[in-house]
Amino acid sequence: MGVAFGLKRLFRFPSWFVPAVSFNNTTSLPLLLVKSLSATGILETLITDPNDTLEDAVRRAQSYFLVNAVVGNVLTFSLGPKLLDCEEVSDSHHNTKEGASVQERDNGSEDVEQGQGEENGHQQDNTADERTSLLPNLVRRQGEAAGHVAYQKAAKGIHHLPFWTQRAVGFSYAFLNAPMIGAVIGAIIGLAPPLHRAFFNPTEEGGIFKAWLTSSLENVGGLFATLQVVVVGVKLSSCLRRMKEGEESGSMPWFAAGSVLVIRFVVWPVISILLIPLILTRSSTIHHDPILWFSLMLMPTGPPALKLTALADVNDSSEAEKLTIAKFLTLSYILSPVIAFAVVGSLRACEEVLKTKG
C-alpha cells in the first residue's frame, strides 16, 4: 500500500490505482483455481503425510484462502473508500471539515424531525428503488430517529476528546463494517462447540440450523462473486453503448493500468515466491504444511478485486470513473491466465523447500 501511494504521488495516477494495487481477488478466483488444481492432481506432489488425502489438502487450501478473503474483505471495505478518495489535504482543512461535519450533525437532528413530517406527506409520491425499506413506515422512522440520536450523542462526546483520540476512534470505527461483523460472528460460531454443532452438523446429529439456515447462507454467499461479475458486465455494456453514441465513457489511463497489471501479475508473485522459501529455510515460523506454503505464495497474486466496483458505488464516484474501473477490470481478467506462471513457480518452490528440509 505504501508503494502504491508513492507511485500515485510520483506519477499522479488516478484514485483507483491504490486500491487496485492493494487488494486482489481473494475469493472467487483462488477457490476456483484450487478446484481446478485438485482435478488435475497437481497438488498431490505437496502431500507428504501418508494419512493425508487430496480431498483434505484441497479443503485446507480452501480454508487458508477463505481466511485470507476475510482479512482482505475487512481491509477492502474499511480502507478502500478512503483510498478511492485519497487526495491529500492539509490538517487545517481536515480539522475544518471535521468541525463542519459535527455542526451538520447537530443541525441535522432538526432537519430529520422536520423531514419526517414532510416525508409522511410525500411518501406516496416517491419512486421505489433498491434502497427503499421494506419495513413499515412507522418502524423505519423510529429506527432512523433512534440511530440518529445515538450517532449525534456519540459525535458530541467524541468532539470533546483530544484530536489524536478522535482520529484513532474514527480509524477504528472504519473497521466496524459488515465483513468484520460477519467474521466475528463466524469465529464465535466456529469456536463454540454447541454453536458449531447446531450450524454445521447434519440434522440427525444436532444440526438444527444446517438444513435451512446454513445452507441458505452458503448459497447467498456463493452468489457474491457472480453478482460482481454481472455488475462489471453491466457497466462495461453501458460504457460500450456510450462510446457508440459519442458520449463520455471514461478514459483508460494506460500507464496506470499497465503499472497495476505488472505489480499484480509480476512483482507480487516474484516477491512471494522468493520470500516464503527464505522464511521456511531460515526459521520455523510457518507451520510445516506444503499446502500452506503454496497458498501463501499465491495469495498476493492475481487481478484486482472485483469489489472495486462496489467501492466506487459506496464512495459515490463519478459515472466516468466507474466506467473506467469496469474497463480496467475487464482488461485485468482477460490477462488473468498469466497467473499460471505463478502457480508453476510456487509449486516448484515448495518442492525445492521439501527437498532442502529432507
Side-chain angles (χ1 to χ4, degrees):
M1 195 176 294
V3 174
F5 269 118
L7 292 175
K8 180 183 179 299
R9 286 189 175 188
L10 180 62
F11 297 105
R12 298 185 180 276
F13 286 150
S15 58
W16 52 263
F17 175 83
V18 178
V21 171
S22 304
F23 308 119
N24 65 323
N25 189 320
T26 58
T27 307
S28 57
L29 189 62
L31 295 180
L32 293 175
L33 178 63
V34 169
K35 288 184 179 180
S36 300
L37 295 178
S38 64
T40 60
I42 195 173
L43 295 179
E44 292 181 353
T45 58
L46 302 180
I47 299 176
T48 58
D49 189 350
N51 298 323
D52 199 3
T53 63
L54 180 60
E55 291 76 13
D56 293 336
V58 170
R59 195 175 296 112
R60 289 201 310 276
Q62 290 176 341
S63 300
Y64 297 144
F65 280 116
L66 286 175
V67 171
N68 179 57
V70 170
V71 176
N73 287 335
V74 170
L75 293 177
T76 299
F77 287 100
S78 301
L79 304 178
K82 296 180 180 179
L83 296 180
L84 274 179
D85 190 22
C86 58
E87 299 299 326
E88 292 80 6
V89 294
S90 62
D91 289 340
S92 60
H93 175 71
H94 181 78
N95 294 339
T96 304
K97 190 174 181 180
E98 282 192 350
S101 63
V102 172
Q103 183 65 29
E104 289 177 359
R105 295 190 200 105
D106 294 342
N107 298 334
S109 59
E110 300 177 0
D111 296 339
V112 168
E113 293 175 357
Q114 296 175 359
Q116 287 177 1
E118 297 178 358
E119 184 181 2
N120 294 338
H122 299 285
Q123 182 67 28
Q124 302 298 330
D125 299 334
N126 293 336
T127 303
D129 55 16
E130 69 274 7
R131 297 186 178 182
T132 302
S133 176
L134 300 178
L135 297 174
N137 293 335
L138 179 61
V139 176
R140 178 176 53 82
R141 288 195 301 270
Q142 290 179 348
E144 291 178 352
H148 180 80
V149 170
Y151 186 85
Q152 182 184 9
K153 290 182 178 180
K156 287 182 178 180
I158 294 174
H159 184 63
H160 295 293
L161 297 175
F163 176 71
W164 65 270
T165 308
Q166 296 182 31
R167 297 292 297 271
V169 172
F171 181 78
S172 302
Y173 182 74
F175 287 87
L176 189 62
N177 50 33
M180 173 62 78
I181 295 173
V184 172
I185 294 175
I188 294 174
I189 293 175
L191 296 177
L195 295 176
H196 187 280
R197 180 172 58 254
F199 277 89
F200 297 105
N201 280 16
T203 304
E204 58 272 11
E205 297 179 9
I208 58 176
F209 300 121
K210 172 68 175 178
W212 62 278
L213 181 58
T214 305
S215 59
S216 300
L217 293 176
E218 288 177 353
N219 293 334
V220 173
L223 292 175
F224 177 77
T226 305
L227 291 177
Q228 290 298 310
V229 175
V230 172
V231 170
V232 174
V234 170
K235 292 185 181 298
L236 183 62
S237 175
S238 176
C239 175
L240 295 176
R241 178 182 57 80
R242 290 192 174 199
M243 290 175 62
K244 291 181 180 180
E245 296 176 355
E247 300 179 5
E248 174 63 29
S249 60
S251 59
M252 173 72 75
W254 292 106
F255 183 42
S259 300
V260 174
L261 297 176
V262 169
I263 293 174
R264 290 248 59 100
F265 289 112
V266 179
V267 177
W268 289 158
V270 169
I271 292 176
S272 64
I273 292 174
L274 295 177
L275 182 61
I276 299 300
L278 183 64
I279 297 176
L280 289 171
T281 54
R282 299 196 177 185
S283 68
S284 58
T285 305
I286 303 177
H287 179 66
H288 185 83
D289 183 4
I291 298 296
L292 175 60
W293 310 342
F294 180 75
S295 302
L296 289 175
M297 293 180 192
L298 286 183
M299 283 177 184
T301 307
L306 288 171
K307 294 185 290 292
L308 280 179
T309 56
L311 290 178
D313 291 332
V314 171
N315 199 54
D316 292 330
S317 300
S318 64
E319 191 65 24
E321 186 175 14
K322 294 178 183 179
L323 296 176
T324 300
I325 292 175
K327 290 193 289 187
F328 167 70
L329 289 176
T330 303
L331 174 64
S332 63
Y333 279 85
I334 291 175
L335 299 176
S336 60
V338 177
I339 65 175
F341 296 101
V343 172
V344 175
S346 301
L347 186 64
R348 294 291 178 262
C350 291
E351 293 175 350
E352 290 298 325
V353 173
L354 287 174
K355 292 179 182 178
T356 304
K357 291 194 170 186

